[in-house]
């Protein structure tokens, strides 16, 4: 029943897009938004409408509202949240790369057209498809051992055929919010904002460091996967246990900076895990010393 529902929703959205049904009215900037953040939030709304539609831009506005006027959130922090959230909500998948190539062609039609080759992983390409289609394909790729296989994809505007192909790829954005990747990104953004919120309550001095961790997750391919894995390692190893009261870190911001400096493009995360263990050991030792006194 769940699979049928996914297909039905995908088809409804597709047909609505074809006949020109709009997502809704233009989102408005949150009330009380500081003047310094207005240009950033306004640009983000336009970006996300282009990226996915007005409903998606409204989701951005709703998320941003949670921090407008919130205790401990100054103008600079709110501006960073607005900027970094827009960056993560417009994550780079094959659909987005095709969109950007077409926008580039539109803006600079007379520029010599070079072939743009990107190295993408099979799993991230499949995860951009609706879940009902992606899951069986991922099962097959996993069985073949090809899930992490890298493939070269051409995003070219050098010919009419290649431009037409880009337009087809870009049009797949109508399916994006029913994809595995969309669901994962939605959950990630929500967890990031939740951790910022917890920092403001539990250790306000670390809130800026938590906000800035969003810069760890960028791009596509291996760089994206490594950054995402490192982010989870730092949050799960340092931030969350500190907020839960399991780990005593008086300077969580410093600990995060120290861990980030140790992160390398390593799928095994050897240096990062060693550093996190070292920081945790220091925190445990400090707690023991305090108890002994």
């Amino acid at each position: 029943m769940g699979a049928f529902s996914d297909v039905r929703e995908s088809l409804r959205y597709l047909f609505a897009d074809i006949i020109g049904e709009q997502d809704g009215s233009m989102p408005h900037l949150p009330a009380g938004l500081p003047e310094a953040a207005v240009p950033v939030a306004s640009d983000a709304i336009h970006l996300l409408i282009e990226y996915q539609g007005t409903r998606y831009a409204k989701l951005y506005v709703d998320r941003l509202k949670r921090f407008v006027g919130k205790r401990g959130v100054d103008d600079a922090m709110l501006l960073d949240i607005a900027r970094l959230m827009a960056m993560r909500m417009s994550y780079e998948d094959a659909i987005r790369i095709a969109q950007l190539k077409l926008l580039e062609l539109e803006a600079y039609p007379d520029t010599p057209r070079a072939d743009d080759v990107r190295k993408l992983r099979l799993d991230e390409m499949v995860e951009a498809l609706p879940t009902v289609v992606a899951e069986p394909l991922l099962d097959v790729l996993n069985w073949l051992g090809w899930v992490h296989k890298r493939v070269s994809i051409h995003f070219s505007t050098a010919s009419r055929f290649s431009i037409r192909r880009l337009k087809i790829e870009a049009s797949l954005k109508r399916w994006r919010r029913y994809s595995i990747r969309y669901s994962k990104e939605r959950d990630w953004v929500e967890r990031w904002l939740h951790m910022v919120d917890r920092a403001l309550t539990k250790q306000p001095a670390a809130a800026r460091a938590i906000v800035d961790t969003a810069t760890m997750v960028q791009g596509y391919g291996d760089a994206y996967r490594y950054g995402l894995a490192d982010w989870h390692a730092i949050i799960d190893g340092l931030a969350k246990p500190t907020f839960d009261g399991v780990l005593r870190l008086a300077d969580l911001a410093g600990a995060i900076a120290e861990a980030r400096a140790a992160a390398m493009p390593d799928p095994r995360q050897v240096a990062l895990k060693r550093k996190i263990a070292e920081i945790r050991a220091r925190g445990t030792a400090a707690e023991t010393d305090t108890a002994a006194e």
Side-chain angles (χ1 to χ4, degrees):
M1 185 67 181
F4 175 75
S5 177
D6 285 345
V7 172
R8 183 178 60 187
E9 280 297 299
S10 295
L11 289 174
R12 186 203 62 76
Y13 184 52
L14 171 60
F15 292 140
D17 186 77
I18 290 174
I19 65 176
E21 179 184 319
Q22 299 300 313
D23 282 353
S25 59
M26 182 76 172
H28 297 292
L29 292 171
L33 187 69
E35 187 175 345
V38 168
V40 173
S42 181
D43 287 347
I45 288 171
H46 289 287
L47 164 67
L48 296 173
I49 288 174
E50 168 200 285
Y51 183 86
Q52 188 61 39
T54 53
R55 271 191 285 180
Y56 195 56
K58 284 181 178 179
L59 174 60
Y60 169 85
V61 171
D62 289 341
R63 284 168 164 169
L64 189 59
K65 281 179 182 177
R66 288 152 53 179
F67 296 91
V68 175
K70 191 175 183 66
R71 184 177 181 180
V73 179
D74 59 17
D75 290 3
M77 186 187 296
L78 188 63
L79 192 148
D80 283 344
I81 292 172
R83 176 177 57 84
L84 292 173
M85 183 163 57
M87 179 191 76
R88 286 308 321 138
M89 288 182 68
S90 57
Y91 58 87
E92 280 189 271
D93 55 8
I95 300 168
R96 181 56 178 165
I97 296 171
Q99 284 181 313
L100 291 172
K101 293 301 294 183
L102 291 171
L103 288 170
E104 181 183 303
L105 177 63
E106 183 180 338
Y108 307 102
D110 299 325
T111 301
R113 303 174 187 179
D115 195 9
D116 188 353
V117 182
R118 309 287 183 101
K119 288 279 189 180
L120 301 176
R121 292 181 7 163
L122 281 176
D123 57 342
E124 69 182 322
M125 292 175 62
V126 173
E127 285 180 355
L129 299 172
T131 301
V132 68
V133 177
E135 285 183 340
L137 284 177
L138 287 173
D139 288 341
V140 172
L141 291 175
N142 189 55
W143 180 75
L144 293 171
W146 291 358
V147 172
H148 299 156
K149 186 178 178 65
R150 300 174 188 83
V151 291
S152 297
I153 306 296
H154 294 254
F155 294 91
S156 174
T157 55
S159 68
R160 289 184 179 180
F161 173 78
S162 58
I163 293 172
R164 180 59 182 165
R165 199 189 80 177
L166 287 177
K167 289 180 178 178
I168 292 172
E169 290 170 343
S171 72
L172 293 176
K173 78 171 190 178
R174 60 174 66 99
W175 299 94
R176 185 189 272 129
R177 61 185 177 191
Y178 302 103
S179 69
I180 293 175
R181 176 71 184 276
Y182 177 89
S183 178
K184 288 181 177 180
E185 290 287 343
R186 180 191 60 207
D187 292 345
W188 183 90
V189 172
E190 286 299 332
R191 190 176 190 217
W192 170 61
L193 295 176
H194 176 63
M195 287 297 155
V196 173
D197 198 37
R198 292 200 73 188
L200 289 167
T201 302
K202 299 289 186 176
Q203 200 170 125
R208 290 298 296 269
I210 298 291
V211 169
D212 193 54
T213 59
T215 60
M216 297 177 65
V217 188
Q218 296 187 49
Y220 54 89
D222 287 341
Y224 167 81
R225 298 290 174 174
Y226 295 159
L228 182 62
D230 290 347
W231 184 87
H232 281 294
I234 290 172
I235 294 299
D236 291 335
L238 299 176
K240 186 178 185 300
T242 298
F243 299 151
D244 290 345
V246 176
L247 180 65
R248 184 185 293 274
L249 290 176
D251 182 15
L252 177 58
I256 290 172
E258 193 176 345
R260 290 187 62 175
M264 305 289 288
D266 174 14
R268 296 179 301 165
Q269 300 176 298
V270 174
L272 176 60
K273 287 179 179 178
R274 185 185 301 122
K275 178 57 68 175
I276 290 174
E278 177 188 316
I279 295 170
R280 287 177 63 92
R282 292 203 307 261
T284 302
E287 186 174 1
T288 302
D289 291 343
T290 301
E293 293 174 1

